[in-house]
C-alpha cells in the first residue's frame, strides 16, 4: 500500500484491483489477526452503553402476554426471571414461539392449554414435540469478547446473556444480552483493520463455499416455512420465484407478528400473506456477490442492522448465504 | 419548605407505641419492620435515650437549629466557639482519648455505634485568604440562596464559623459581587459542571466534636452558664486571641483543633492515621447487614384497620400539638421534582437497538418506578449501577391470581 501516490487510479476500487494477490493475502491475514487481538482485548462490558435498558420477563407471565411485551418494546428476545427461585431462567427467543406454534399444530385440540401457557410451561412444550432445548451459554461481562464469541459459536446461539453475581446475595444477575450483530457492529465501528479484509469472499474458508439452502416461494404455507425453520435450525428461509431469483425472506422473528395476540389460527396463510404483518421498520434483505469483500460487508454491518447476507449471482439468483456466525467463525478461526 | 416539614412530621410518628398497645408482647418480637422504621427515622428520640451523657449540649444545639434557622444552619460567633475550645483542647486531650477508646471497646462488644443526630451540627471554619473587600459565602447549606458575610480578621483574611450537619456541603464565595472559589480549599465539579469548594462533615468529625462537648460538660455543669462565661472570657482575652488567630489562618485552619479540621478538609484523605493515636472510622458493611434482616410479613399497620386507625390518630394528635394541618395523612407527600423525569419515557425504540438511554442523574438511582397495571400485567423499573454503567431494568410480571 506504499505506492498509492506513484500510480494514479481513478477509483479506490481500481486501486484495490491493482494490488497483487500476495499483497491482498498478506493484508487479509494481518487484518484478521488484528481483529482477533481486538476481540481479545475488549470485554462484553465494553460494548454496553453507559446507560441502557434491559427488559426482563417474569416466568409466570403468559406466553401471549410476553409476546405483546416484546412487540411493544420492539425487541425480539428477553431474559427470564424465575420469582420462585429468584434466579435467571434463560432467554425467551423467537424459537420458543416457533415451538409453541408447532405444538399447537400437532395438538390443535389443546388450544386452552396453549392459550393459558405461561413461560414456565415452555419447557414442557419443548419436550412433548421433541425439540432439543437450546443450551443457553452465558458469560461474565468482564470476560473477553473473543471468549463470548467462542461460546456463542459453540452453543450455536445468536445471543449470549451476560451474567454476573450480586455482591451481597451471591445470586446471579443478568447484566445484559449481547447479540452477534452487536459484537460485529462494535468491531466494524472500532476496529479500522476491517478495511484490510480485501480478499473476495469466494476465496474465503467457510464463506465462499456454497451452502445447500432450503427455500420457499411466496405461495408456500407459512406453517411449512415454520417447520423448516425448526427442523433445519435456521433463522430464516429465503423466498425465491420460479427462476430461483431471491424475492424476500421469512425470518424466525416474523413469527412474533404472525401469532400476535395469541392468534394461532392463521397458520394456513401463505408466506406472502404472512409477510404483510411484518412491521414497517423491516430492515430489508441484504445481498452480496461472491466477488464482494469482507471489508464492504463490515461497512454494511456498521451502517445497517442485518443478520445475514444472501449471496446472489449477476442475475439475482440465490447462490448461498453468509450468516453472522459465518463471519464470526472466519474472524476467530479463519486464515490459520 | 412547609411541604417537606409536613412529611417529616408524619414519618416521625412513633409507630412502635401503637403496636404495643394492640399486639401482645411476644408478637412484637417477630414484627421487625416497625421497629426498624423507628430506628431509622426517629433518630432524635433514640439518641436522647441512648446517649444521656451528651444530651444537654446537643439538644441545645438542635433546638436552636430547628426553631431559629430554617436552613438548618447555624452561624456561631467565631471567637467564642473555637477560641474557647482551643484553650480547653490541651487539657482535654487525654480525657478525650480515653473516651474514644471506651467508645471503640463498646463497638467491639457488638453494640452498634450510635448514629449521630442528623440535626447535630459541628462548627466549621471557612476562610477566604485571597483578598477583596466584601466577602460572602453561599452554598448548599443555604440552598444557594442566602449569602453569609465573612468577618475580616486582623491579618486581612476573612473567616466565619458555620454549624454544619453531616454530609458534603458545596459552596462558593462572592467576592465584591464576583462568584469565586477558593484555591486553598478542596474543589470539585458538581452535577451542573460548576467548579465549587466543598467540605465534608463526616461521622467521625461529629463524634469527636460531641466528645469535646462531653468533656466541657463534665467540667462545667450548666451549658448555658458555660457559654455565657465563654463570651466573657473571650472579651477579656481578645488581645492574645487575635494573635493566635492570625497564625492559624495562614495554616488554613489546621492548627485550631487538629483532629477535627484535618478530617473535615479531607487533608488526610488517603491516610487512615488521623494523628494523636486516632484512626479513620470505617463503616463495617457486615455489621450493618446483621442489624436488620429482610422479612416477608406485612406490618400490621398496612393490614389491620385497628392499627392503621391508631396510627392516623397518633399523627393527628401530633400535628395538633404542633398546630399542623389536620388529616395531612390523607394526602401523600409530593413527589420530589427530580424523580419526575423518567429516562425510560424518553426512550426511542426506533434506531436504537443497543437499548441506550440518557445517563441518569444519580439521585434517581435505586428508586422504583411502575407503570399502571394493564391487562393484569405490571411493569416495574429501577436504575441501578453496574460497575461504572447504569442499567435500567424493567421487570414485567403478572398480578397474582
Amino acid at each position: 500500500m506504499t505506492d498509492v501516490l506513484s500510480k494514479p487510479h481513478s477509483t479506490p476500487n481500481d486501486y484495490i484491483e491493482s494490488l497483487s494477490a500476495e499483497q491482498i493475502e498478506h493484508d487479509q491475514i494481518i487484518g484478521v489477526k488484528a481483529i482477533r487481538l481486538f476481540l481479545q482485548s475488549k470485554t462484553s462490558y465494553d460494548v454496553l452503553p453507559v446507560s441502557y435498558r434491559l427488559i426482563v420477563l417474569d416466568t409466570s407471565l403468559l406466553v401471549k402476554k410476553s409476546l405483546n411485551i416484546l412487540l411493544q418494546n420492539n425487541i425480539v428476545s428477553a431474559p427470564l426471571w424465575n420469582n420462585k427461585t429468584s434466579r435467571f431462567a434463560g432467554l425467551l427467543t423467537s424459537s420458543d414461539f416457533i415451538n409453541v406454534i408447532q405444538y399447537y399444530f400437532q395438538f390443535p385440540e389443546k388450544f386452552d392449554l396453549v392459550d393459558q401457557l405461561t413461560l414456565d410451561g415452555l419447557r414442557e412444550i419443548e419436550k412433548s414435540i421433541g425439540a432439543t432445548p437450546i443450551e443457553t451459554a452465558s458469560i461474565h461481562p468482564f470476560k473477553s469478547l473473543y471468549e463470548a464469541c467462542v461460546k456463542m459459536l459453540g452453543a450455536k446461539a445468536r445471543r449470549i446473556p451476560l451474567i454476573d453475581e450480586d455482591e451481597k446475595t451471591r445470586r446471579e444477575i443478568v447484566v445484559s444480552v449481547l447479540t452477534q450483530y452487536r459484537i460485529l457492529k462494535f468491531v466494524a465501528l472500532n476496529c479500522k483493520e476491517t478495511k484490510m479484509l480485501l480478499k473476495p469472499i469466494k476465496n474465503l474458508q467457510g464463506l465462499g463455499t456454497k451452502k445447500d439452502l432450503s427455500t420457499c416461494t411466496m405461495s408456500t404455507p407459512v406453517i411449512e416455512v415454520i417447520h423448516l425453520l425448526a427442523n433445519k435450525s435456521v433463522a430464516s428461509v429465503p423466498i425465491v420465484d420460479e427462476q430461483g431469483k431471491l424475492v424476500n425472506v421469512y425470518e424466525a422473528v416474523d413469527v412474533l407478528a404472525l401469532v400476535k395476540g395469541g392468534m394461532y389460527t392463521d397458520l394456513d396463510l401463505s408466506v406472502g400473506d404472512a409477510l404483510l404483518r411484518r412491521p414497517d421498520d423491516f430492515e430489508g434483505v441484504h445481498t452480496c456477490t461472491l466477488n464482494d469483500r469482507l471489508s464492504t460487508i463490515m461497512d454494511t454491518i456498521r451502517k445497517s442492522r442485518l443478520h445475514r447476507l444472501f449471496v446472489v449471482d449477476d442475475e439475482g439468483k440465490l447462490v448461498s448465504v453468509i450468516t453472522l456466525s459465518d463471519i464470526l467463525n472466519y474472524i476467530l478461526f479463519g486464515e490459520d | 419548605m412547609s411541604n417537606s416539614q409536613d412529611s417529616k412530621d408524619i414519618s416521625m410518628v412513633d409507630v412502635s407505641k401503637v403496636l404495643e398497645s394492640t399486639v401482645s408482647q411476644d408478637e412484637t418480637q417477630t414484627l421487625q419492620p416497625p421497629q426498624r422504621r423507628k430506628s431509622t427515622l426517629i433518630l432524635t428520640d433514640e439518641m436522647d435515650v441512648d446517649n444521656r451523657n451528651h444530651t444537654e449540649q446537643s439538644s441545645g444545639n438542635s433546638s436552636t437549629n430547628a426553631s431559629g434557622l430554617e436552613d438548618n444552619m447555624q452561624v456561631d460567633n467565631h471567637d467564642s466557639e473555637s477560641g474557647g475550645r482551643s484553650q480547653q483542647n490541651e487539657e482535654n486531650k487525654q480525657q478525650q482519648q480515653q473516651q474514644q477508646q471506651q467508645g471503640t471497646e463498646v463497638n467491639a462488644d457488638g453494640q452498634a455505634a450510635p448514629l449521630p443526630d442528623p440535626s447535630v451540627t459541628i462548627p466549621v471554619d471557612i476562610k477566604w485568604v485571597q483578598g477583596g473587600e466584601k466577602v460572602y459565602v453561599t452554598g448548599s447549606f443555604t440552598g444557594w440562596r442566602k449569602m453569609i458575610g465573612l468577618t475580616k480578621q486582623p491579618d486581612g483574611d476573612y473567616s466565619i464559623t458555620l454549624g454544619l450537619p453531616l454530609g458534603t456541603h458545596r459552596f462558593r464565595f462572592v467576592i465584591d459581587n464576583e462568584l469565586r472559589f477558593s484555591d486553598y480549599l478542596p474543589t470539585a465539579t458538581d452535577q451542573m459542571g460548576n467548579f465549587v469548594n466543598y467540605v465534608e462533615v463526616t461521622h467521625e468529625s461529629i463524634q469527636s466534636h460531641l466528645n469535646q462537648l462531653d468533656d466541657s460538660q463534665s467540667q462545667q455543669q450548666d451549658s448555658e452558664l458555660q457559654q455565657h462565661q465563654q463570651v466573657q472570657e473571650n472579651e477579656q482575652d481578645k488581645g492574645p486571641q487575635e494573635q493566635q488567630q492570625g497564625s492559624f489562618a495562614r495554616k488554613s485552619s489546621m492548627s485550631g483543633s487538629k483532629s477535627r479540621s484535618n478530617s473535615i478538609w479531607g487533608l488526610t484523605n488517603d491516610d487512615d492515621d488521623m494523628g494523636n493515636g486516632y484512626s479513620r472510622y470505617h463503616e463495617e458493611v457486615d455489621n450493618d447487614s446483621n442489624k436488620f434482616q429482610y422479612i416477608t410479613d406485612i406490618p400490621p399497620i398496612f393490614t389491620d384497620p385497628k392499627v392503621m386507625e391508631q396510627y392516623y390518630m397518633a399523627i393527628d394528635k401530633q400535628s395538633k400539638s404542633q398546630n399542623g394541618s389536620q388529616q395531612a395523612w390523607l394526602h401523600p407527600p409530593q413527589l420530589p421534582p427530580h424523580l419526575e423525569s423518567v429516562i425510560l419515557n424518553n426512550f426511542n425504540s426506533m434506531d436504537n437497538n443497543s437499548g441506550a438511554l440518557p445517563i441518569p442523574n444519580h439521585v434517581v438511582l435505586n428508586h422504583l418506578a411502575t407503570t399502571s397495571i394493564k391487562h393484569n400485567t405490571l411493569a416495574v423499573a429501577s436504575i441501578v449501577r453496574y460497575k461504572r454503567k447504569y442499567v435500567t431494568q424493567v421487570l414485567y410480571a403478572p398480578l397474582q391470581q
Side-chain angles (χ1 to χ4, degrees):
Chain A
M1 285 216 214
T2 47
D3 51 357
V4 63
L5 293 176
S6 56
K7 282 185 207 163
H9 300 286
S10 50
T11 67
N13 196 47
D14 287 346
Y15 165 65
I16 292 168
E17 296 284 332
S18 76
L19 291 172
S20 70
E22 292 78 36
Q23 178 76 52
I24 288 178
E25 181 78 32
H26 180 250
D27 282 2
Q28 181 92 8
I29 291 172
I30 293 177
V32 168
K33 293 222 164 115
I35 296 172
R36 222 175 277 169
L37 283 174
F38 176 78
L39 286 172
Q40 279 160 350
S41 68
K42 294 284 175 287
T43 66
S44 305
Y45 175 78
D46 293 327
V47 182
L48 302 175
V50 179
S51 169
Y52 59 94
R53 97 185 162 164
L54 176 70
I55 288 167
V56 181
L57 305 182
D58 191 296
T59 51
S60 52
L61 273 172
L62 290 180
V63 170
K64 59 177 181 184
K65 295 244 166 89
S66 58
L67 175 63
N68 284 342
I69 293 163
L70 293 183
L71 293 170
Q72 237 172 50
N73 289 293
N74 206 22
I75 53 175
V76 295
S77 129
L80 301 177
W81 180 257
N82 186 326
N83 65 23
K84 301 201 175 59
T85 58
S86 296
R87 263 166 222 285
F88 168 61
L91 289 177
L92 177 72
T93 66
S94 54
S95 63
D96 291 308
F97 294 101
I98 289 176
N99 286 339
V100 177
I101 293 171
Q102 289 201 303
Y103 178 85
Y104 177 67
F105 191 74
Q106 273 184 37
F107 309 101
E109 72 280 4
K110 295 199 175 165
F111 175 78
D112 287 345
L113 190 150
V114 170
D115 192 51
Q116 292 305 312
L117 185 68
T118 63
L119 296 176
D120 281 316
L122 278 174
R123 301 290 162 255
E124 295 300 311
I125 295 285
E126 244 167 37
K127 259 186 234 159
S128 59
I129 60 164
T132 42
I134 305 161
E135 184 213 348
T136 359
S138 65
I139 195 159
H140 192 279
F142 283 91
K143 289 272 168 47
S144 75
L145 274 179
Y146 188 88
E147 275 178 78
C149 292
V150 170
K151 276 205 166 181
M152 252 195 280
L153 291 175
K156 289 199 161 72
R158 290 169 197 106
R159 44 177 57 79
I160 188 164
L162 309 180
I163 306 286
D164 196 358
E165 201 176 60
D166 185 78
E167 281 165 17
K168 276 197 182 126
T169 61
R170 296 275 148 215
R171 285 197 172 139
E172 53 186 14
I173 48 169
V174 196
V175 174
S176 186
V177 180
L178 276 196
T179 58
Q180 290 182 343
Y181 173 72
R182 273 181 74 187
I183 293 177
L184 280 172
K185 188 179 177 184
F186 185 70
V187 169
L189 276 169
N190 299 297
C191 200
K192 60 182 188 305
E193 284 82 2
T194 51
K195 299 204 169 35
M196 296 171 78
L197 308 177
L198 296 176
K199 244 164 110 174
I201 51 175
K202 66 182 169 213
N203 298 335
L204 297 182
Q205 309 151 11
L207 299 184
T209 43
K210 290 179 186 172
K211 295 188 195 78
D212 192 20
L213 284 182
S214 313
T215 61
C216 65
T217 67
M218 279 301 210
S219 53
T220 312
V222 70
I223 185 69
E224 275 182 38
V225 182
I226 290 172
H227 287 324
L228 270 181
L229 290 172
N231 299 339
K232 302 265 174 180
S233 43
V234 288
S236 73
V237 175
I239 306 171
V240 293
D241 65 7
E242 305 81 56
Q243 285 100 48
K245 284 186 185 166
L246 180 71
V247 289
N248 212 325
V249 63
Y250 195 79
E251 296 178 303
V253 294
D254 285 322
V255 303
L256 299 191
L258 183 70
V259 293
K260 183 180 179 180
M263 302 291 286
Y264 293 88
T265 47
D266 295 337
L267 301 179
D268 49 355
L269 284 179
S270 71
V271 169
D273 288 335
L275 283 181
L276 296 176
R277 310 253 180 109
R278 192 178 258 170
D280 296 335
D281 60 343
F282 178 64
E283 303 279 343
V285 186
H286 290 266
T287 60
C288 65
T289 69
L290 282 173
N291 290 320
D292 278 321
R293 312 177 185 94
L294 211 46
S295 61
T296 329
I297 292 176
M298 291 305 278
D299 214 37
T300 318
I301 288 176
R302 185 164 54 83
K303 287 178 198 148
S304 49
R305 195 177 184 182
L306 61 91
H307 297 96
R308 69 202 62 80
L309 293 117
F310 287 106
V311 184
V312 291
D313 63 13
D314 296 339
E315 290 159 25
K317 282 186 185 161
L318 181 67
V319 177
S320 181
V321 68
I322 294 176
T323 62
L324 297 186
S325 316
D326 293 336
I327 298 172
L328 273 181
N329 201 54
Y330 171 75
I331 290 175
L332 260 60
F333 308 115
E335 300 296 340
D336 273 342
Chain B
M1 247 321 151
S2 63
N3 256 328
S4 71
Q5 265 180 352
D6 281 354
S7 58
K8 205 173 167 186
D9 287 347
I10 292 171
S11 61
M12 295 281 268
V13 167
D14 193 339
V15 194
S16 57
K17 279 175 198 158
V18 180
L19 274 172
E20 276 155 22
S21 60
T22 53
V23 188
S24 68
Q25 276 295 328
D26 49 334
E27 261 182 290
T28 44
Q29 288 293 319
T30 55
L31 292 166
Q32 286 283 333
Q35 285 174 9
R36 179 178 155 210
R37 189 181 161 84
K38 185 188 169 198
S39 62
T40 49
L41 289 173
I42 314 176
L43 283 166
T44 336
D45 295 351
E46 294 226 321
M47 287 295 286
D48 286 349
V49 180
D50 292 349
N51 307 336
R52 283 281 175 216
N53 44 346
H54 67 251
T55 32
E56 291 283 323
Q57 183 78 19
S58 73
S59 67
N61 243 344
S62 59
S63 68
T64 38
N65 259 351
S67 59
L69 296 136
E70 58 170 27
D71 284 314
N72 199 24
M73 201 208 71
Q74 198 176 359
V75 183
D76 293 331
N77 184 313
H78 180 260
D79 290 0
S80 72
E81 277 285 328
S82 70
R85 212 183 0 271
S86 62
Q87 279 189 329
Q88 291 168 355
N89 218 19
E90 279 296 70
E91 299 163 28
N92 295 338
K93 216 167 239 172
Q94 289 217 313
Q95 225 173 330
Q96 257 182 53
Q97 234 158 349
Q98 277 180 346
Q99 284 225 348
Q100 190 92 350
Q101 276 161 5
Q102 278 169 7
T104 49
E105 272 166 24
V106 172
N107 279 351
D109 287 347
Q111 272 191 332
L115 284 168
D117 189 322
S119 60
V120 164
T121 60
I122 69 163
V124 175
D125 303 336
I126 291 178
K127 285 185 192 303
W128 177 259
V129 294
Q130 290 167 266
E133 284 304 315
K134 284 179 281 177
V135 179
Y136 296 92
V137 65
T138 179
S140 52
F141 35 76
T142 65
W144 296 97
R145 273 184 229 118
K146 283 185 195 166
M147 301 202 299
I148 303 158
L150 273 68
T151 326
K152 190 164 188 171
Q153 302 300 313
D155 59 357
D157 291 338
Y158 292 82
S159 113
I160 193 169
T161 304
L162 302 177
L164 297 179
L166 180 73
T168 304
H169 306 278
R170 291 164 286 134
F171 56 93
R172 284 208 271 188
F173 294 90
V174 181
I175 312 301
D176 301 331
N177 296 326
E178 191 194 348
L179 203 56
R180 291 173 65 178
F181 58 88
S182 170
D183 296 326
Y184 297 89
L185 298 173
T187 49
T189 311
D190 72 1
Q191 196 67 29
M192 308 295 289
N194 297 316
F195 213 55
V196 293
N197 289 121
Y198 70 93
V199 54
E200 205 181 340
V201 175
T202 56
H203 282 293
E204 56 263 43
S205 53
I206 288 186
Q207 210 55 55
S208 75
H209 174 64
L210 291 177
N211 287 340
Q212 281 175 359
L213 292 175
D214 289 347
D215 292 342
S216 59
Q217 216 180 334
S218 63
Q219 287 187 338
Q220 287 162 311
Q221 286 297 315
D222 193 333
S223 62
E224 271 184 50
L225 184 70
Q226 178 201 356
Q227 273 180 353
H228 191 66
Q229 282 178 347
Q230 271 189 9
V231 174
Q232 282 186 334
E233 273 172 22
N234 286 326
E235 274 164 9
Q236 288 165 3
D237 299 352
K238 206 132 206 178
Q241 258 196 14
E242 277 170 5
Q243 285 182 342
Q244 203 187 351
Q245 260 165 29
S247 68
F248 81 62
R250 242 165 267 124
K251 291 176 201 167
S252 85
S253 84
M254 280 181 62
S255 57
S257 46
K258 263 182 194 161
S259 60
R260 175 166 60 97
S261 305
N262 278 353
S263 62
I264 289 168
W265 295 115
L267 295 171
T268 52
N269 239 351
D270 298 325
D271 197 356
D272 277 357
D273 184 13
M274 308 297 288
N276 296 340
Y278 293 91
S279 63
R280 187 178 291 279
Y281 173 70
H282 287 287
E283 197 182 18
E284 283 174 44
V285 184
D286 289 345
N287 220 5
D288 242 27
S289 57
N290 287 339
K291 233 187 298 178
F292 307 117
Q293 61 179 126
Y294 290 103
I295 56 162
T296 51
D297 305 336
I298 300 170
I301 187 156
F302 296 117
T303 54
D304 187 344
K306 242 187 204 167
V307 183
M308 210 181 283
E309 202 185 312
Q310 262 170 314
Y311 172 67
Y312 289 135
M313 274 162 61
I315 294 171
D316 275 347
K317 206 172 163 191
Q318 187 180 337
S319 80
K320 201 174 191 177
S321 67
Q322 293 169 354
N323 293 324
S325 59
Q326 287 293 294
Q327 297 195 314
W329 44 268
L330 270 177
H331 310 286
Q334 259 185 344
L335 191 68
H338 54 262
L339 293 181
E340 274 165 19
S341 74
V342 179
I343 55 171
L344 265 178
N345 294 345
N346 302 331
F347 186 78
N348 177 16
S349 59
M350 303 301 154
D351 61 63
N352 182 354
N353 44 49
S354 61
L357 286 170
I359 295 171
N361 189 319
H362 67 91
V363 294
V364 306
L365 298 181
N366 303 318
H367 285 80
L368 194 72
T370 83
T371 61
S372 50
I373 298 165
K374 279 181 207 146
H375 311 295
N376 209 37
T377 306
L378 176 71
V380 290
S382 179
I383 308 174
V384 295
R385 281 184 209 272
Y386 177 71
K387 312 297 175 193
R388 308 201 64 171
K389 296 183 175 174
Y390 304 93
V391 193
T392 306
Q393 260 207 25
V394 186
L395 176 69
Y396 284 87
L399 295 185
Q400 279 175 349
Q401 298 178 337

